[in-house]
Amino acid sequence: LAGQGFKVVRFEFPYMREIRETGKKKAPNTAKVLLQTWRDVIQDFGSEGLIIGGKSMGGRIASMAADEMNMAGSVTGLVCLGYPFHPPGKPEKTRTEHLKELKTPTLILQGERDTFGTPQDVAGYTLSKSIEIQWLPDGDHSFKPRKKSGITLDQNMEKTVTAMTGFVRALI
């Protein structure tokens, strides 16, 4: 997105910073801490037209903060890369309750083979009409396809950037 002329800001959750600094594995912070981290980042960098997002858990937490911060006038849109709809192998343990009423315009980019939610899994969920899902051919949770598919990771990443660019431009 930065290559398309958009200002992009990255940050680390506290547990990720600790892992980077100590080299020791650590469990993620509580949802309360992760949500507050998002609020702080939005407050520091937010302005009208801000689009937030993240990969996997980062996108899930962003989706939990989006409507709150949208109501405050800071967030215009949300992009989730590889949303964790459920833990791998446990499609009955969904992480979608808040997505039923999500009002913030949202783009979810998901690999067709993502163990956190396949097209078949997601088809059975009730999701807000504000959510658009684009499926990346034969992609896993990191959008990587199998060699035998004839699709490359670069092709899926190009589709990802194109989809995000179109979504962001439509919002702003």
Side-chain angles (χ1 to χ4, degrees), residues 81-121:
L81 306 171
Y83 187 88
F85 288 100
H86 60 73
K90 299 180 181 176
E92 71 284 354
K93 295 187 107 179
T94 61
R95 299 167 174 155
T96 58
E97 191 61 34
H98 69 288
L99 298 179
K100 293 176 183 178
E101 302 297 325
L102 189 68
K103 293 176 181 36
T104 303
T106 300
L107 173 63
I108 296 176
L109 290 145
Q110 194 84 357
E112 291 177 339
R113 294 183 304 107
D114 192 330
T115 57
F116 290 86
T118 64
Q120 295 78 20
D121 297 334

Side-chain angles (χ1 to χ4, degrees), residues 39-50 52 73-75:
R39 290 180 191 113
D40 293 344
V41 168
I42 291 167
Q43 185 175 6
D44 289 347
F45 295 99
S47 62
E48 191 174 324
L50 183 68
I52 64 172
S74 297
V75 172

Side-chain angles (χ1 to χ4, degrees), residues 69-87:
M69 301 311 286
N70 187 336
M71 299 289 279
S74 297
V75 172
T76 301
L78 170 68
V79 176
C80 298
L81 306 171
Y83 187 88
F85 288 100
H86 60 73

